Amino acid sequence: MNIAGYDYTLKSAPSQEDGGMDDLGRLHLGKQIIIVDTDTHTQQQETIVVHEIFEALNFHYELKLPHNQISILETGWYQVLKSLGMDTSLLTKELRDGV
Ligand SMILES: [Zn+2]
């Protein structure tokens, strides 16, 4: 997916530890990779991707948002997508397609 003009790749990897959202999902800004712990519910994987998209926007546009505010945007935005009946499985399609 393209975020702020940068092509990002989704990759699957086990989480580092049992912790918060930034342990289940990680962002490698230099390599432009979003890493998702796929040993999680599909809805978790989708919100991880949303979270890391906001983290990438935060970096590229220098918004200086703290992680907890990004978590609020993540949950709020994901709920809106769901309420509109949007196909949120597209967020993690690349993981299943094995690009
Ligand atoms: Zn975060």
Side-chain angles (χ1 to χ4, degrees), residues 22 51 55 67:
D22 277 344
H51 185 96
E55 290 280 9
H67 166 78

Side-chain angles (χ1 to χ4, degrees), residues 44-78:
Q44 286 285 321
Q45 293 174 32
E46 292 170 5
T47 58
I48 288 165
V49 172
V50 170
H51 185 96
E52 301 307 338
I53 289 170
F54 281 124
E55 290 280 9
L57 290 170
N58 192 36
F59 172 76
H60 290 297
Y61 294 122
E62 300 182 54
L63 299 175
K64 297 182 170 61
L65 294 173
H67 166 78
N68 73 306
Q69 287 185 13
I70 288 173
S71 293
I72 292 165
L73 288 171
E74 163 216 319
T75 310
W77 181 236
Y78 186 70

